[in-house]
Amino acid sequence: MSAGTSRESREPKVSEREARQVAEAAREQEWRKPSFAKELFLGRFRLDLIHPHPLPADEDTRRGEAFLARLREFCETKVDGALIDREARIPDEVIKGLKELGALGMKIDTKYGGLGLTQVYYNKALALVGSANPSLGALLSAHQSIGAPQPLKLFGSQEQKDTFLPRLATTDISAFLLTEPDVGSDPARLATTAVPEGDGYVLDGVKLWTTNGVVADLLVVMARVPKSEGHPGGITAFLVEAAAEGVTVENRNAFMGLRGLENGVTRFHRVRVPAERRIGPEGAGLKIALTTLNTGRLSLPAMCVGAGKWCLKIAREWSAEREQWGRPIALHEAVGSKISFIAATTFALEAVLDLSSQMADENRNDIRIEAALAKLYGSEMGCLMADELVQIRGGRGFETADSLAARGERAVPAEQVLRDLRINRIFEGSTEIMHLLIAREAVDAHLKAAGDLIDPDKTLGDKAKAGARAGGFYARWLPKLVAGPGQLPLAYGDFHPAGHPDLAAHLRYVERTSRKLARSTFYAMSRWQGRMETKQGFLGRIVDIGAELFAMSAACVRAELLRTTDDHGREAYQLADAFCRQSRLRVEELFGRLWANTDDLDRKVVRGVLSGTYAWLEEGVVDPSGEGPWIAEATPGPTKRENVHRPIR
């Protein structure tokens, strides 16, 4: 069967509008708590929401630090990261050791046998274990950040919590199954079904890229329940035993990085799931997934922070040792600027992560945008830092750790870190999808005020009401974008203590720039109206500016916290100052590209590429790709392959 025929046979078929409606219905509609990032995109710099920097309770700190000490000893004595990368598998003894430490239950309450760590210390643990080998961080993150514990904690019944959380805290590994061979970030086309039958459901379908799926004991599966009498239907979450009859792990996938990742293809054929294994009501599956990801996404920037710290350590040690033209390479400006970037960015990423995590723990703010920005910014900057480390190391950066060791040099896995970090720009929402997700939340106030004006399905009466509503909103909002504290020379003076760099100036810049960002967004909406959602290049730059402003704010607030606690305060101010200066250059470039870019020309070139206009440009090479369809067939039915499921006991 050809790739074209295969795609045409896939179900369900949905239009672009239907897909958007499904995504919109799944997102949390209301803002019941304040959000620093949401206000930032609206031109309102609410420093009071993040300063003074929130802090964990003493007992949380004591418990968290005690676990980190045990985890560090385990990583230093029991984990061979090079072996995991070389053999593309985490040894069973390592996974068993993590279970004995209680690492499976870091985020599970102590009454269920877990450790009850805060989000702050959970992320510190992921950064630590991920520095030993990122596949370990991915294993624990997939289990707790998006696997069964978090959906059960937020949406599970008390009976489900009592039954499964003790298992998940101590022995059972979980996985989250949403993606399908032909369904990525567009869940409206989800094809896996859960058909009501008797006192339960019958599950059929194929799931792709199931992280932990090869070794998992419990699966959270998203499936479509058909609408019928007594069943509202819709995408629904189910808790499924991985050893249940009809569940087959058909393949363990291999990747350029994270070679120890137990990621596979899972087939469900006539799998019976009792009704009491449904998490939440029918149709709530996507809402459960998105709510889980609100804080679950923080696991990725946690591991990026860990990677940044390691990159800084290696860059410092190597650049002081390696000499060129009579002095250490660190003292050559071309290399020194890279080291400065790594140091300043690591400081800012940790600031973003700790601030977002502590706000998640306190639960006073809505952090859906903050967590998404942390994931977006961390994954992009993490890759850049790893790439700069490879460049600083030169040929040794491109050489594998095993090869370096074989010829008598220190086995520094710089190329491995670059490979391992690359997936973070795709995991749990690609950079492109994150841009759109954050942009949707950032313009939510505008859509609530004026959305009906650009909705083609609304009547003239609805549009008239929307016009009046929009007029009132913008009459109050627009005048506030003209002036603010950022124009007052002494504003935020607490951030310029004697003998320290002036961070107050950077906060004034953030305040002024947030208003400029809001004005730019409003102008674009006025100009493009209903076509705004197609301007993905513009929206991406708007979000990237917001991410830089959030990171600058977090860096300044963290520096002031460290100063007031007498913990490397002077050095923290220097790093925050360096980061903000670097960030401001990126922001100004992004603003310039809002209106001076090649977006229109790019669209014309893309149409030419797709139509074959430039096919002549592809001549003169051979294609080493193998045969087969672009997307594997995923027709429901019995498996034809061996089950490679490998639970760890």
Side-chain angles (χ1 to χ4, degrees):
M1 181 179 290
S2 70
T5 304
S6 176
R7 285 185 66 84
E8 290 165 8
S9 67
R10 290 189 176 92
E11 297 292 344
K13 297 292 185 182
V14 295
S15 67
E16 179 180 0
R17 185 169 183 79
E18 289 171 331
R20 292 182 184 278
Q21 288 173 341
V22 168
E24 182 66 17
R27 63 175 288 274
E28 193 171 350
Q29 302 291 324
E30 299 300 325
W31 294 85
R32 298 180 177 85
K33 299 174 183 176
S35 165
F36 173 80
K38 174 176 176 284
E39 295 294 302
L40 197 65
F41 280 106
L42 286 170
R44 300 190 285 244
F45 180 50
R46 292 285 308 278
L47 185 61
D48 61 294
L49 292 177
I50 60 173
H51 174 70
H53 194 295
L55 292 172
D58 290 343
E59 174 58 24
D60 291 335
T61 299
R62 185 200 62 76
R63 187 166 62 246
E65 292 293 341
F67 176 71
L68 288 181
R70 298 195 301 273
L71 184 63
R72 173 177 289 277
E73 181 182 7
F74 177 83
C75 290
E76 291 176 341
T77 60
K78 303 297 184 182
V79 176
D80 185 341
L83 177 70
I84 293 173
D85 188 66
R86 188 183 312 122
E87 297 189 352
R89 176 161 293 181
I90 302 170
D92 288 3
E93 313 85 70
V94 172
I95 298 179
K96 291 175 183 176
L98 290 171
K99 290 182 179 182
E100 291 170 2
L101 274 175
L104 293 187
M106 286 188 284
K107 289 191 70 179
I108 297 176
D109 195 285
T110 54
K111 66 182 179 182
Y112 298 112
L115 298 180
L117 297 187
T118 62
Q119 185 72 39
V120 168
Y121 276 97
Y122 170 66
N123 286 335
K124 289 181 183 294
L126 289 180
L128 176 60
V129 77
S131 67
N133 185 275
S135 293
L136 292 176
L139 171 82
L140 295 175
S141 171
H143 166 65
Q144 290 171 93
S145 296
I146 59 174
Q150 195 69 3
L152 285 176
K153 175 184 176 181
L154 296 175
F155 299 96
S157 67
Q158 190 58 53
E159 182 181 357
Q160 289 173 333
K161 294 175 183 178
D162 293 340
T163 301
F164 296 109
L165 287 180
R167 290 171 54 183
L168 293 163
T170 54
T171 59
D172 287 16
I173 297 172
S174 68
F176 173 77
L177 286 71
L178 172 63
T179 305
E180 298 178 359
D182 201 20
V183 179
S185 297
D186 181 11
R189 293 164 55 237
L190 198 76
T192 298
T193 59
V195 178
E197 185 176 288
D199 59 353
Y201 300 82
V202 175
L203 203 60
D204 283 281
V206 179
K207 295 293 186 178
L208 176 63
W209 296 325
T210 59
T211 298
N212 288 357
V214 179
V215 297
D217 303 287
L218 284 170
L219 313 173
V220 176
V221 183
M222 296 293 166
R224 185 184 300 277
V225 177
K227 185 180 293 188
S228 62
E229 185 177 351
H231 292 277
I235 297 174
T236 306
F238 296 92
L239 192 63
V240 181
E241 298 281 354
E245 185 177 353
V247 180
T248 306
V249 179
E250 295 189 330
N251 191 66
R252 181 177 186 261
N253 304 320
F255 304 97
M256 67 178 282
L258 291 185
R259 291 181 175 171
L261 196 69
E262 296 287 355
N263 179 294
V265 177
T266 305
R267 177 178 292 272
F268 300 90
H269 175 60
R270 302 286 302 167
V271 179
R272 296 194 60 81
V273 183
E276 57 267 22
R277 295 292 185 92
R278 188 187 69 223
I279 305 175
E282 289 183 3
L286 287 184
K287 187 177 290 290
I288 290 173
L290 290 179
T291 304
T292 299
L293 281 171
N294 279 345
T295 54
R297 285 196 175 96
L298 291 173
S299 62
L300 291 187
M303 286 181 279
C304 291
V305 167
K309 289 173 178 286
W310 181 82
C311 287
L312 180 61
K313 178 181 185 293
I314 298 302
R316 173 178 58 82
E317 294 175 351
W318 165 250
S319 299
E321 177 74 18
R322 176 64 166 166
E323 290 191 356
Q324 289 278 25
W325 300 302
R327 55 179 176 165
I329 60 171
L331 300 182
H332 291 284
E333 194 171 275
V335 174
S337 63
K338 298 180 187 300
I339 297 173
S340 175
F341 166 75
I342 293 173
T345 304
T346 297
F347 176 82
L349 282 188
E350 188 168 38
V352 165
L353 177 68
D354 280 4
L355 178 62
S356 301
S357 300
Q358 186 58 42
M359 288 195 294
D361 286 330
E362 292 188 344
N363 201 27
R364 288 190 295 111
N365 293 341
D366 187 322
I367 67 156
R368 72 182 90 160
I369 300 182
E370 286 85 348
L373 287 173
K375 188 275 176 188
L376 168 69
Y377 199 69
S379 59
E380 290 292 321
M381 290 306 206
C383 280
L384 286 176
M385 288 190 291
D387 188 65
E388 293 288 41
L389 176 64
V390 168
Q391 192 69 19
I392 290 170
R393 288 274 291 161
R396 290 173 173 84
F398 194 66
E399 191 172 0
T400 68
D402 283 347
S403 178
L404 289 165
R407 58 184 186 79
E409 292 194 3
R410 184 176 299 185
V412 178
E415 60 83 28
Q416 180 195 330
V417 168
L418 183 58
R419 285 189 284 107
D420 287 340
L421 283 176
R422 183 58 183 84
I423 187 58
N424 291 336
R425 296 176 60 202
I426 300 170
F427 259 171
E428 295 180 20
S430 69
T431 290
E432 294 72 25
I433 292 300
M434 295 306 297
H435 277 150
L436 299 181
L437 183 151
I438 297 168
R440 171 62 188 86
E441 299 294 355
V443 301
D444 186 53
H446 297 282
L447 293 179
K448 285 182 177 177
D452 288 354
L453 284 173
I454 58 177
D455 189 337
D457 292 339
K458 297 299 181 181
T459 65
L460 289 177
D462 290 334
K463 290 180 182 294
K465 294 177 183 177
R469 186 168 59 248
F473 172 77
Y474 290 118
R476 296 187 302 272
W477 178 68
L478 285 171
K480 297 178 181 178
L481 301 183
V482 176
Q487 293 163 294
L488 302 176
L490 300 180
Y492 313 115
D494 291 348
F495 288 83
H496 191 193
H500 292 69
D502 184 5
L503 299 188
H506 297 311
L507 292 179
R508 291 195 293 271
Y509 175 84
V510 172
E511 196 280 332
R512 293 194 306 272
T513 308
S514 70
R515 286 186 281 112
K516 181 180 179 181
L517 181 65
R519 293 194 300 268
S520 299
T521 304
F522 172 73
Y523 173 72
M525 292 190 68
S526 302
R527 176 180 175 181
W528 291 315
Q529 297 185 28
R531 293 184 295 126
M532 180 78 163
E533 63 186 20
T534 69
K535 303 296 181 180
Q536 295 180 3
F538 177 90
L539 291 172
R541 294 174 199 115
I542 286 288
V543 169
D544 285 341
I545 292 170
E548 295 282 2
L549 297 182
F550 178 40
M552 289 174 66
S553 305
C556 291
V557 169
R558 181 175 180 80
E560 176 62 9
L561 169 68
L562 295 180
R563 184 189 72 84
T564 56
T565 56
D566 196 28
D567 188 9
H568 305 294
R570 192 176 302 276
E571 298 89 347
Y573 256 68
Q574 292 170 349
L575 288 170
D577 182 47
F579 173 77
C580 288
R581 291 178 185 274
Q582 295 168 9
S583 180
R584 286 168 72 158
L585 294 176
R586 293 190 291 268
V587 168
E588 293 306 312
E589 180 185 355
L590 286 165
F591 267 116
R593 290 173 54 211
L594 282 181
W595 312 111
N597 52 64
T598 61
D599 291 350
D600 291 338
L601 178 59
D602 292 343
R603 281 190 286 272
K604 293 179 182 178
V605 171
V606 168
R607 285 194 289 268
V609 169
L610 293 179
S611 67
T613 301
Y614 311 123
W616 51 269
L617 192 58
E618 302 165 10
E619 297 173 1
V621 298
V622 295
D623 183 357
S625 305
E627 296 295 323
W630 286 105
I631 299 172
E633 184 60 53
T635 303
T639 187
K640 300 176 182 177
R641 307 186 66 171
E642 177 187 355
N643 189 359
V644 297
H645 182 226
R646 186 177 63 87
I648 310 296
R649 299 301 181 196

